[in-house]
Amino acid sequence: MTRTSLSAVACSIARATDLFGDAWTALIMRDILVGIRRFDELVEDLGLSRKILAARLARLVDEGVLTREQYQASPPREEYAATEKGRELYPVLLALMAWGDKWYTEPAGPPARIRHDICGHVATPVVACDACQEPLTVADTTQLPGPGGRVGPGTQLLGPLIAARGEGA
């Protein structure tokens, strides 16, 4: 099945999910950011086909999210590392993890926890305002138009709605 590209939609969420919107890509990034970097280790951990893994890794390298480095010459073997662009996906994964922990955790508890190494505490990730540090929720935020906003495929109704909110700002 061919997927429709969202790269031309005037929405940062659409553009990000165009790359990052399948479960395998999220799980590949989870593993790499935690320290599983070799192809065979990724296959073993994730249990996905080598063909799918190779395709996802190639796309992540092409997009500048990962780098590929040879660690063995004969036979040639490579490992992957997150670039700055890739490391900046970590808060996205933490937000998804926090949501999953809240809504899908089994009675035994969440499958993993996050320790904030700077203070030593086990942390619950939150998305917060960079100015006041208060958590951001749908109840206390408003999307306003940005300089790249436009009406088009994927924003036929959303574009005018957000633009109208900007008129009073």
Side-chain angles (χ1 to χ4, degrees), residues 10 13 16 51 67 73 84 92 104 107 115 118 124 134 137 142 167:
I13 294 171
K51 182 179 177 180
T67 60
E84 179 183 1
V92 175
Y104 292 103
R115 181 185 62 230
I118 293 173
T124 300
E134 288 294 318
T137 69
T142 301
E167 292 170 6

Side-chain angles (χ1 to χ4, degrees), residues 53-70:
L53 178 59
R56 297 305 189 280
L57 288 169
R59 174 103 192 266
L60 290 165
V61 169
D62 289 347
E63 292 284 340
V65 175
L66 296 177
T67 60
R68 179 182 6 231
E69 299 172 11
Q70 190 173 41

Side-chain angles (χ1 to χ4, degrees), residues 1-142:
M1 174 185 347
T2 304
R3 214 170 43 86
T4 302
S5 174
L6 301 175
S7 62
V9 175
C11 172
S12 296
I13 294 171
R15 292 174 183 162
T17 56
D18 191 54
L19 168 67
F20 199 62
D22 74 279
W24 290 126
T25 302
L27 295 176
I28 290 165
M29 289 306 301
R30 174 203 66 188
D31 278 13
I32 288 173
L33 290 168
V34 172
I36 300 172
R37 296 191 173 104
R38 295 182 175 176
F39 188 89
D40 288 337
E41 293 172 340
L42 290 164
V43 168
E44 180 182 348
D45 188 57
L46 298 171
L48 77 159
S49 79
R50 299 175 77 79
K51 182 179 177 180
I52 291 172
L53 178 59
R56 297 305 189 280
L57 288 169
R59 174 103 192 266
L60 290 165
V61 169
D62 289 347
E63 292 284 340
V65 175
L66 296 177
T67 60
R68 179 182 6 231
E69 299 172 11
Q70 190 173 41
Y71 69 88
Q72 177 179 309
S74 182
R77 302 236 188 248
E78 299 171 324
E79 64 184 7
Y80 297 84
T83 62
E84 179 183 1
K85 186 176 181 181
R87 288 187 302 274
E88 287 188 4
L89 282 170
Y90 191 62
V92 175
L93 293 174
L94 289 180
L96 192 57
M97 178 183 169
W99 184 83
D101 285 351
K102 180 174 181 175
W103 296 104
Y104 292 103
T105 292
E106 296 179 4
R113 298 182 308 160
I114 301 298
R115 181 185 62 230
H116 186 218
D117 292 338
I118 293 173
C119 71
H121 288 93
V122 172
T124 300
V126 295
V127 177
C129 174
D130 63 336
C132 71
Q133 276 44 128
E134 288 294 318
L136 298 174
T137 69
V138 70
D140 59 22
T141 59
T142 301

